[in-house]
Amino acid sequence: GGSGAWRDRLAGVAPQERERLLLELVRSHVATVLGHADPAGVDADRALKDLGFDSLTAIELRNQLGAATGLRLPTTLIFDYPTPSAIAGYLDGRLGVGVGVRSEVAVAVPSVVGVDAEPIAIVGVGCRYPGGVVSPEGLWDLVAGGTDAISGFPVDRGWDLEGLYDPDPA
């Protein structure tokens, strides 16, 4: 059922039993997404990417867990919470019945998403900026250092400078 049903199911349950129930939920959905018959074979502390998850199966798992709990889960769920234990801890916190399955997963790393709630992925970067910047790290250093890298207009490129600029804005 939805989040209300899970809240009711977990209310008043001892932390160890909550851990077992939530891990059972997560492991069963991990097994289903990966096509495994037995959720017991899913290691609760193994990274999901090591189990064979990619971006499509990550979204499928997020959708299944969202439907099972009634929670709206982030698209970056398995990247923010990379193991079944971490996801169970996150669900525990979101369902409002506990403080986390394990203390080491109780602190969540928030995801940063765009205005339309879609994650941003940088797949490639090319850099050629003033100040000798030729790499993303160099650009970061330039910005972080507050360096003024403004330089004159390049004159060594064979451009018609008189045709490119007119001091009259009209």
Side-chain angles (χ1 to χ4, degrees), residues 8-84:
D8 293 345
R9 184 175 179 186
L10 298 174
V13 173
Q16 296 80 12
E17 181 63 8
R18 270 200 325 268
E19 176 180 354
R20 188 191 67 72
L21 290 171
L22 289 167
L23 279 175
E24 181 180 296
L25 171 73
V26 173
R27 289 168 68 193
S28 70
H29 285 285
V30 167
T32 299
V33 168
L34 292 176
H36 297 193
D38 185 10
V42 175
D43 183 347
D45 295 314
R46 188 165 176 204
L48 292 168
K49 71 176 188 133
D50 293 342
L51 293 173
F53 271 78
D54 59 23
S55 56
L56 292 176
T57 50
I59 294 299
E60 188 176 342
L61 177 65
R62 187 266 328 234
N63 291 344
Q64 285 191 17
L65 289 172
T69 61
L71 295 171
R72 183 170 181 202
L73 302 173
T75 55
T76 56
L77 180 70
I78 78 158
F79 303 103
D80 296 338
Y81 308 93
T83 66

Side-chain angles (χ1 to χ4, degrees), residues 85-119:
S85 291
I87 292 173
Y90 171 75
L91 293 175
D92 192 16
R94 286 289 307 274
L95 290 168
V97 294
V99 295
V101 172
R102 296 184 180 170
S103 60
E104 68 265 18
V105 297
V107 176
V109 177
S111 63
V112 178
V113 294
V115 174
D116 60 0
E118 288 298 319

